[in-house]
Each structure stands twice: as C-alpha cells, then as structure tokens.
Amino acid sequence: MRSEVTDRYYRVYTYQNVDRVPDLEFGYWPQTIRRWISEGAKIDMTPQEINSMFSGKFDAFFGLEGEGTGIGAACFMHPSFEHEVIERKEHSVIERGGDGVVAERFEAAQDESSIPHFIDFPIKTPADWQEMRKRYRRDDPVRKGKDSDFAHVREAMARGAMVTLHLCGPYGQLRNWMGFENLSTAFYDYPEMIHDMMESFTELIVDSVEAAPADIPIDQVSWWEDMASRNGPFVSPRMFREFLQPAYHAVMQAAKKRGCVLGIVDCDGNPHDIVGNWLEEGVNIMFPMEVAAGVDAAEWRKEWGLDLRMRGGIAKVPLAQDKSAIDAELERIRPLLDQGGFIPHLDHLVPPDISYANYCYYREKKMKMIGK
C-alpha cells in the first residue's frame, strides 16, 4: 500500500484517511443521451460521440472525477484480420472486424446502434486455435515497449495518482475469440484447448507486467470479465478454480511483486458464487453490483466483511420513478458508504427510461450525500 497516493479512489479502497469518496458513474446508453439532449441537456455532441457508451464529454459535463492513471498489457492480436464488408443494408452493415468476428453493426443514429448482432467467431475447434495463436506470439517484436511509453504514467504519479493495469479477463478473452455458446460447450468438448488458451493469454500478460520499468508500480489490476447473468455465473466455482483461477493467480502474483493491493472485476449480472474465488487471488473490488440481477451489496458485505470492496450498487429503477424513490434508494445504500470500501453509483449504464430531470436530481442528491 502506497501512502503517498492521493487518489480518493485508492485511499477509499485501502481504508486510508480520505475527505470523501470520489464522484464516479458508469456510462450511458446512446439512446439516453439522445433523450437528454432533446430534454434540454446543453452539450454539443456528434452522432459518433453520442454512440459511445462511455462519453468523456458527458462525464465532464457532469463533473465526474478520474481514477488515477493506467497502463495496458501487450496481449493484443498481431497481425489483426483484414476488415471485410460482407453485406450492406439500409441502416446497418455486416462485416468481419479486425478481431475476426463477423457482426451486424448499426448506424450511429439507430436505436440498435449500441448493440451489434454477433454472427460468427474465429475459433470453434482446436485447429482454429492453432491458427489464432500465431497472432499472439510471445516473441513478436511489437510486444516490446519503450521506456518513453510510460512518460504519462510518471507525470501522473508525480501528482499522486495510482496506477492501474487494465486487462480483459481470461473468460472475456476466450468469449471474444469463440462467442458465448462455443465457449460454453468447449469447456466440456475441448478442455485441453481451453487450458492452452488460458495459459497462452496469461503468459502475455505476465510478460508485460515483468517487462514494465522498475519505477512503475501497479496499484490495481482491473479485469473486464462479464461472465454472469441474473441467474448466476456462467461457470461453477469448481470450473472457475480449474480453468480460470490459475490465470488470475499468475497475474495477481506478478502484480503484487510490483506493489499491487487492489483488484477490481467488472462483471455484470450476479456472480455471487464465484466472488470467493476472486477474493482468494486478491481481486477484492466487485463492480457494478447489479441490483436488477439480485445483487444485495449489504448482504455481500455481511458475508465477506471489509475484505470485499464494492463499486456501484445503486438501482436504476428508482431513477425512472420519482424524487421520493430516488431519495429512498440513496438512503438504502448510505450505511455502506459509512462503512468504507464502497463507492456508490448506478449499477450499470443509464437507460433511456430515466429522464434528464430525474438524473440531475439524483446527481445533486448523491453529490450532497458524498460531501462533494
């Protein structure tokens, strides 16, 4: 734990003295931004900017705060696939992207624009994986970074910023390669392939961690790992331990040697049954804590104590109702705020059934609650 880090985020989650929790939110559906602009939000955005679910312009508009500085791992595909347009329709195009995935993507002005329709994936069999792994060679010269790549990190650290390593999780990476259905059956049909894919991807991440300059710490590892629905995670705790946990263990151990004390996982749905697996490896912040999926942050805190940190946890439905419902929802999560190790915000992207007026009221009340 680095005491010189001044980021509120880091200090909240390491239980150090802090004046208040940071003012964070999660993002917005493009349809929501279109609605709010029609209802009086005074912000000039292009269709492409509106189509971004994580709009920097809207974050700045609401005065949201940052989360330190970040670095990535050289675990990307190289070379990528050639882009190929397969079919053009009136408001969409079916194309193969650089990741090899065939998807139907809609124009930025369409309501469906934020959700592509995925059609085909590059890996289905062990033979496909042998071809794909050629694009992820550990000895590829493009994976060698330069010291100058970290200049922005050193500048931010001089201002007291924490450093986060941003990663796609092992399940998320394999799902990107295979799609949900193919991956789900491959755990049973091709377990040796799954182990090999996990190990290969993990090696690239650990290589990057070990190759980072010695003066660059890693305070937090951030994993994107959407692997649950409201009915629970897509793998059992036993399957997690066999197939995924070795990857988490290797990366978190390498990061801990660089000072890492925090691990955050972005998993939608209700991953309750595998939270214990993550905690074993030091992934100790759960996010976004979807109330609509049955996640109860207060119950999770009772179950795992202060070892479990949380982010999100505010239900969206009350914001589509009225001011009294918004007030009640904020009061519901206040005890967690008082306990520490918790940063409140909506439990996912803001949906378009929330009016601009209601969201502004929520923002005003939440800022007052956190002391901003």
Side-chain angles (χ1 to χ4, degrees):
M1 184 174 71
R2 295 198 296 132
S3 59
E4 72 273 18
V5 175
T6 58
D7 281 335
R8 291 186 176 101
Y9 178 105
Y10 183 83
R11 300 185 72 83
V12 165
Y13 284 135
T14 52
Y15 298 105
Q16 298 185 66
N17 292 331
V18 65
D19 58 343
R20 62 170 173 82
V21 303
D23 182 16
L24 305 177
E25 291 294 340
F26 188 19
Y28 326 84
W29 287 110
Q31 300 93 315
T32 306
I33 296 179
R34 295 189 196 107
R35 173 180 177 173
W36 288 354
I37 290 174
S38 73
E39 292 176 345
K42 303 298 184 183
I43 183 168
D44 183 25
M45 300 178 73
T46 67
Q48 288 72 30
E49 289 171 333
I50 290 173
N51 201 42
S52 170
M53 292 182 288
F54 304 101
S55 168
K57 271 194 176 180
F58 243 73
D59 285 352
F61 180 73
F62 285 116
L64 301 181
E65 297 165 346
E67 305 169 40
T69 188
I71 61 176
C75 52
F76 49 83
M77 180 190 299
H78 183 262
S80 59
F81 286 82
E82 290 290 330
H83 176 263
E84 177 187 1
V85 174
I86 297 172
E87 181 183 354
R88 292 191 182 276
K89 299 184 179 182
E90 183 178 3
H91 296 296
S92 67
V93 59
I94 297 175
E95 59 187 1
R96 186 185 309 278
D99 56 3
V101 176
V102 177
E104 182 176 10
R105 302 183 185 278
F106 296 84
E107 294 177 357
Q110 296 297 113
D111 280 346
E112 302 93 338
S113 60
S114 58
I115 308 175
H117 172 217
F118 296 105
I119 298 171
D120 194 29
F121 294 85
I123 299 179
K124 301 181 185 67
T125 68
D128 297 332
W129 163 238
Q130 292 307 317
E131 287 301 310
M132 177 64 83
R133 72 184 307 158
K134 297 174 184 177
R135 302 175 186 269
Y136 288 89
R137 288 173 33 228
R138 293 177 74 183
D139 61 351
D140 191 328
V142 301
R143 305 200 188 282
K144 296 185 181 298
K146 303 185 297 294
D147 187 73
S148 59
D149 296 337
F150 296 88
H152 71 287
V153 178
R154 294 188 176 98
E155 292 172 2
M157 287 173 58
R159 300 191 298 270
M162 71 170 188
V163 180
T164 295
L165 173 66
H166 294 279
L167 300 173
C168 180
Y171 182 93
Q173 181 60 62
L174 268 64
R175 191 178 68 173
N176 288 344
W177 283 334
M178 301 188 71
F180 173 73
E181 292 182 7
N182 293 333
L183 176 57
S184 297
T185 57
F187 279 109
Y188 300 94
D189 295 340
Y190 306 117
E192 292 183 0
M193 178 186 76
I194 297 298
H195 280 299
D196 190 37
M197 295 166 81
M198 294 283 184
E199 291 168 7
S200 297
F201 183 62
T202 302
E203 287 171 347
L204 293 176
I205 299 173
V206 172
D207 285 349
S208 291
V209 171
E210 294 178 344
D215 64 319
I216 303 296
I218 296 175
D219 300 307
Q220 173 179 255
V221 179
S222 178
W223 304 84
W224 175 81
E225 194 74 295
D226 280 349
M227 55 178 299
S229 70
R230 65 178 299 135
N231 295 320
F234 299 146
V235 299
S236 68
R238 181 192 62 78
M239 290 177 65
F240 188 105
R241 188 172 301 280
E242 177 183 351
F243 291 101
L244 280 76
Q245 200 152 339
Y248 278 95
H249 182 80
V251 173
M252 293 303 295
Q253 288 299 311
K256 286 174 183 177
K257 292 178 181 178
R258 308 300 293 264
C260 181
V261 294
L262 299 174
I264 182 170
V265 59
D266 174 358
C267 183
D268 296 347
N270 188 345
H272 171 275
D273 295 350
I274 56 176
V275 169
N277 298 74
W278 276 317
L279 287 175
E280 287 180 19
E281 305 306 336
V283 182
N284 47 22
I285 307 171
M286 299 298 126
F287 161 69
M289 305 293 294
E290 279 201 90
V291 181
V295 174
D296 186 327
E299 289 300 315
W300 284 26
R301 176 54 63 80
K302 289 179 185 177
E303 184 170 355
W304 286 291
L306 293 176
D307 287 343
L308 174 67
R309 289 82 159 170
M310 296 173 287
R311 176 179 167 181
I314 296 178
K316 300 179 291 293
V317 171
L319 273 69
Q321 296 172 346
D322 54 32
K323 293 180 179 180
S324 62
I326 296 171
D327 291 342
E329 177 62 10
L330 290 175
E331 286 304 310
R332 183 185 68 83
I333 58 93
R334 185 185 292 274
L336 287 168
L337 189 63
D338 296 337
Q339 292 172 19
F342 174 65
I343 297 176
H345 58 69
L346 286 196
D347 63 359
H348 209 278
L349 305 175
V350 186
D353 60 347
I354 294 175
S355 69
Y356 180 56
N358 275 17
Y359 191 73
C360 287
Y361 178 81
Y362 154 75
R363 289 282 307 139
E364 177 185 352
K365 298 292 287 190
K366 194 197 89 166
M367 284 192 294
K368 183 177 180 180
M369 184 177 73
I370 66 175
K372 184 180 180 183

